[in-house]
């Protein structure tokens, strides 16, 4: 064999040494950049009736065998919106296998939360930096590269493209994966999530929701313990027109992810839509208990937002059954909370809505007129104009009913200020919610001033707007539905036939509401339709069969049924 030129051998040696050195420098720089990102790390902290149970996920993965169980756990947490804990486990995967591209995808997904509040700037920056690192790696899997680019479609140009546009880009990217890999169950599940996230609240055909439901239901029978399928089915069908379709998933999901506070709460979205108050109450009691356990075990400062979220749904359900004493206990407890974490719209909505619900559902107009923002909470209310508007609305209705004109006008001005601030920020969904409240407030002010025609016009406009707009997932329902308020106005004016028809129309969208059923019964009785009155009075007492009947409405209902049945 012919000997190598010594100079050639020396150059090759220097090239290899230099290349290895460059590779090591690149690896060191990569790890330094990774450590500079504030990715959550640590052991997961969750509580539930079966601590450690989050459902079953099997995500085909090219990463090291040693990290696959943790990756599946992280993905299960992601599917139950346990975002901080999911991020911790994805970080654990990265630390064990820094070249696992999908673990970076997981961190980015953990900061996206498509059906919750939009990511804060620091979350967008974290996602962007994490994706940049992942893109510098050489993935051996085209499928995993496709997943990475799908979430990249959301984070890319986040500082120049609006949130809705980027969610739409994410939807189209996940659809491409779904179609490219037809045997990939996770692709189908994440595409269904993307469809729900990109759905138009004004689309009453529910086209994207129905499509998502078809995809998920096709998987549900074969994957009954997958947390994402059941969870996303609930979100997909969280509408009055679709809620019955979500009942099987609602009754299954809590047992799938027993250690997740959100999984304990989420079924109550469907229970609330269908007026299944006992199931909603139990769901939220479990969720609140798990949330308190999580806050304590994780060393969280203050009360976790999941606890407050559950309290709002719990109070709503109690009030629909006339269990005012239990609702008052939650209201009083809420008043003792002086620190929440994280500070967000869920906290703000609960703190504003619960006292309003307690006053308005009981028609305690004097208490409603005296409502003020909670003073015990050190809370940045100026950052939450939509949530503040809920209290202004309650105050306006209360003041109008007790004929405190100046106070009603002042509350209306507060609503107008919230509307202006939201519109200026381009938050038109929230602005339109406040617009509905403004019209309803003005309607009752006009009604008690004697301007009945204008009052009915405004109240009808409010009801029509609300019918065309879906409620936000943060709330179990409007503090008082606009169409129910319209029915109340017909009743107050003595038009009992129109009142009955309007109550019945509203009950189609707000099943099992105490005031809707009682209003319908009263209107039927006043209009001479005793059979229908008996029907609605019976429904009302069936909803609260064994509780201390302290509301005058329930006492009257029992007396009426004794006489007529």
């Amino acid at each position: 064999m012919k000997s190598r030129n010594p100079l050639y051998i020396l150059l090759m040696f220097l090239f290899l040494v230099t290349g290895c050195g460059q590779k090591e420098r690149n690896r060191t720089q990569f790890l330094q950049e990774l450590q500079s990102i504030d990715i959550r790390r640590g052991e997961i902290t969750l509580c539930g009736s079966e601590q450690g149970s989050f459902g079953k996920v099997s995500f085909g993965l090219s990463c090291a065998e040693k990290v696959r169980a943790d990756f599946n756990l992280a993905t299960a947490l992601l599917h139950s919106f346990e975002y901080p804990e999911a991020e911790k486990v994805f970080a654990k995967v990265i630390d064990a296998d820094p070249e696992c591209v999908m673990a970076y995808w997981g961190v980015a997904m953990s900061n996206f939360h498509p059906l919750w509040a939009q990511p804060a700037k620091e979350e967008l920056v974290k996602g962007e930096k994490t994706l940049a690192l992942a893109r510098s790696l050489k993935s051996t899997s085209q499928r995993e590269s496709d997943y990475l680019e799908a979430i990249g479609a959301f984070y890319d140009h986040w500082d120049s493209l609006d949130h809705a546009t980027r969610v739409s880009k994410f939807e189209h990217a996940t659809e491409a994966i779904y179609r490219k890999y037809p045997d990939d169950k996770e692709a189908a599940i994440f595409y269904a999530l993307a469809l729900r996230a990109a759905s138009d609240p004004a689309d009453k055909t529910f086209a994207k929701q129905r499509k998502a439901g078809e995809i998920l239901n096709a998987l549900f029978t074969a994957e009954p313990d997958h947390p994402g399928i059941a969870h996303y089915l609930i979100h997909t069908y969280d509408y009055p027109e679709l809620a019955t379709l979500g009942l099987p998933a609602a009754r299954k999901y809590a047992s799938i992810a027993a250690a997740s506070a959100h999984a304990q709460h989420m079924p109550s979205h469907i229970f609330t839509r269908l007026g299944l108050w006992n199931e909603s109450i139990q769901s939220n009691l479990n969720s609140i208990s798990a949330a308190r356990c999580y806050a304590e075990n994780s060393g969280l400062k203050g009360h976790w937002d999941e606890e407050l979220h559950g309290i709002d749904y719990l109070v709503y359900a109690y009030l629909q059954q006339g269990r005012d004493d239990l609702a008052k206990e939650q209201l009083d407890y809420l008043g003792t909370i002086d620190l929440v974490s994280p500070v967000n719209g869920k906290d703000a909505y609960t703190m504003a809505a619960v006292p309003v619900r307690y006053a308005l559902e009981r028609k305690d107009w004097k208490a409603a007129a005296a409502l003020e923002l909670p003073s015990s909470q050190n809370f940045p209310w100026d950052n939450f104009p939509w949530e503040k508007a809920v209290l202004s609305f309650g105050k306006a209705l209360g003041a109008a009913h007790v004929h405190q004109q100046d106070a009603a006008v002042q509350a209306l001005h507060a609503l107008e200020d919230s509307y202006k601030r939201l519109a200026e920020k381009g938050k038109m969904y929230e602005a339109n919610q406040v617009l509905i409240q403004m019209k309803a407030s003005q309607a009752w002010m006009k009604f008690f001033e004697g301007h009945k025609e204008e009052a009915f016009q405004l109240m009808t406009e409010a009801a029509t707007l609300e019918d065309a707009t879906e409620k936000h997932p943060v709330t179990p329902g409007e503090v008082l539905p606009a169409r129910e308020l319209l029915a109340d106005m017909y009743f107050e004016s003595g038009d009992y036939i129109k009142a009955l028809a309007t109550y019945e129309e509203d009950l189609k969208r707000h099943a099992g509401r105490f005031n809707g059923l009682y209003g319908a019964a009263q209107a039927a009785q006043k209009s001479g339709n005793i059979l229908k009155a008996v029907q609605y009075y019976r429904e009302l007492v069936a909803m609260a069969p064994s509780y201390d009947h302290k509301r005058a409405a329930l006492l009257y209902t029992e007396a009426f049924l004794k006489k007529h049945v």
Side-chain angles (χ1 to χ4, degrees), residues 34 37-44 46 70-71 73-79 81-95 102-113 122-124 126-127 130 155 294:
L34 176 60
I37 304 174
D38 187 24
I39 298 176
R40 289 184 177 91
R41 286 180 165 80
E43 294 301 315
I44 63 171
L46 290 172
D70 279 334
F71 185 89
L73 170 60
T75 306
L77 290 166
L78 184 66
H79 280 309
F81 294 174
E82 297 289 351
Y83 295 119
E85 305 309 313
E87 186 174 333
K88 289 179 188 177
V89 186
F90 282 124
K92 183 179 178 182
V93 173
I94 290 173
D95 293 341
M102 286 300 290
Y104 300 87
W105 164 87
V107 171
M109 285 292 294
S110 299
N111 287 273
F112 175 19
H113 34 81
E122 55 267 26
E123 292 172 311
L124 292 166
K126 183 194 294 190
T130 302
Y155 283 99
Y294 174 77

Side-chain angles (χ1 to χ4, degrees), residues 5 45 73 77 102 110 147 152 212 268 287 323 325 375-376 378 400 416 435 455 465 478 514 532 551 553:
N5 185 314
T45 307
L73 170 60
L77 290 166
M102 286 300 290
S110 299
Y147 268 89
S268 69
S287 177
R323 301 169 80 176
D325 52 345
S375 57
S376 61
N378 182 21
E416 291 168 346
L435 180 62
L465 280 172
E478 304 83 3
F514 184 104
K532 187 159 280 191
R551 280 196 206 175

Side-chain angles (χ1 to χ4, degrees), residues 111-431:
N111 287 273
F112 175 19
H113 34 81
L115 301 184
W116 281 9
Q118 297 180 16
K121 181 178 179 180
E122 55 267 26
E123 292 172 311
L124 292 166
V125 170
K126 183 194 294 190
E128 180 183 46
K129 289 183 176 180
T130 302
L131 283 166
L133 280 181
R135 283 165 165 165
S136 72
L137 297 170
K138 290 185 177 179
S139 175
T140 59
S141 167
Q142 183 59 51
R143 168 177 168 265
E144 293 174 12
S145 294
D146 291 341
Y147 268 89
L148 192 69
E149 292 309 312
I151 188 58
F154 174 76
Y155 283 99
D156 289 345
H157 311 295
W158 64 264
D159 54 348
S160 58
L161 295 176
D162 64 65
H163 179 78
T165 298
R166 290 180 289 112
V167 170
S168 178
K169 288 168 70 70
F170 175 73
E171 176 207 347
H172 294 310
T174 54
E175 180 182 14
I177 297 174
Y178 166 69
R179 299 197 181 285
K180 186 175 181 179
Y181 305 100
D183 296 328
D184 183 351
K185 293 187 179 73
E186 290 298 315
I189 295 166
F190 280 112
Y191 176 43
L193 172 63
L195 282 166
R196 173 61 182 84
S199 61
D200 181 0
D203 177 17
K204 304 304 287 186
T205 69
F206 306 106
K208 290 188 177 182
Q209 291 93 327
R210 292 182 188 279
K211 186 174 183 180
E214 289 174 4
I215 293 169
L216 294 168
N217 276 315
L219 299 170
F220 194 26
T221 302
E223 302 280 342
D225 294 320
H226 191 292
I229 297 173
H231 186 189
Y232 303 154
L233 275 169
I234 295 172
H235 276 291
T236 293
Y237 293 138
D238 188 11
Y239 303 89
E241 298 88 343
L242 306 178
T244 54
L245 299 173
L247 193 55
R251 287 178 169 157
K252 176 67 176 174
Y253 180 39
S255 65
I256 294 173
S260 166
H262 185 69
Q264 298 308 304
H265 158 76
M266 195 62 214
S268 69
H269 282 237
I270 297 297
F271 301 150
T272 298
R273 294 290 197 181
L274 299 175
L276 301 173
W277 305 122
N278 287 331
E279 290 182 82
S280 180
I281 287 166
Q282 192 57 56
S283 176
N284 285 294
L285 286 173
N286 292 343
S287 177
I288 290 166
S289 177
R292 289 173 182 166
C293 172
Y294 174 77
E296 180 180 352
N297 290 354
S298 65
L300 194 72
K301 292 183 179 179
H303 296 253
W304 193 25
D305 63 353
E306 278 292 310
E307 179 188 359
L308 274 72
H309 187 51
I311 287 173
D312 189 23
Y313 275 73
L314 178 63
V315 168
Y316 186 81
Y318 279 150
L319 290 170
Q320 303 320 310
Q321 291 190 322
R323 301 169 80 176
D324 299 339
D325 52 345
L326 295 179
K328 183 62 162 57
E329 286 180 12
Q330 295 299 322
L331 173 61
D332 291 343
Y333 170 72
L334 194 64
T336 68
I337 294 176
D338 57 5
L339 187 63
V340 294
S341 180
V343 174
N344 59 27
K346 283 196 290 184
D347 306 318
Y349 196 93
T350 296
M351 290 188 289
V354 167
V356 177
R357 293 190 197 286
Y358 186 71
L360 295 186
E361 292 283 6
R362 294 163 47 253
K363 297 191 183 297
D364 187 346
W365 305 116
K366 184 177 179 180
L371 287 165
E372 297 291 344
L373 286 174
S375 57
S376 61
Q377 286 102 345
N378 182 21
F379 199 81
W381 284 106
D382 285 345
N383 296 339
F384 300 97
W386 177 50
E387 294 81 355
K388 280 177 64 176
V390 173
L391 191 131
S392 300
F393 175 53
K395 195 175 181 73
L397 281 182
H401 277 78
V402 296
H403 310 295
Q404 294 178 4
Q405 183 69 10
D406 290 345
V409 170
Q410 186 177 0
L412 179 60
H413 287 334
L415 284 170
E416 291 168 346
D417 180 66
S418 292
Y419 175 82
K420 181 179 178 182
R421 290 183 59 194
L422 291 164
E424 287 174 348
K425 292 181 179 180
K427 295 186 175 182
M428 293 315 300
Y429 172 84
E430 292 86 350

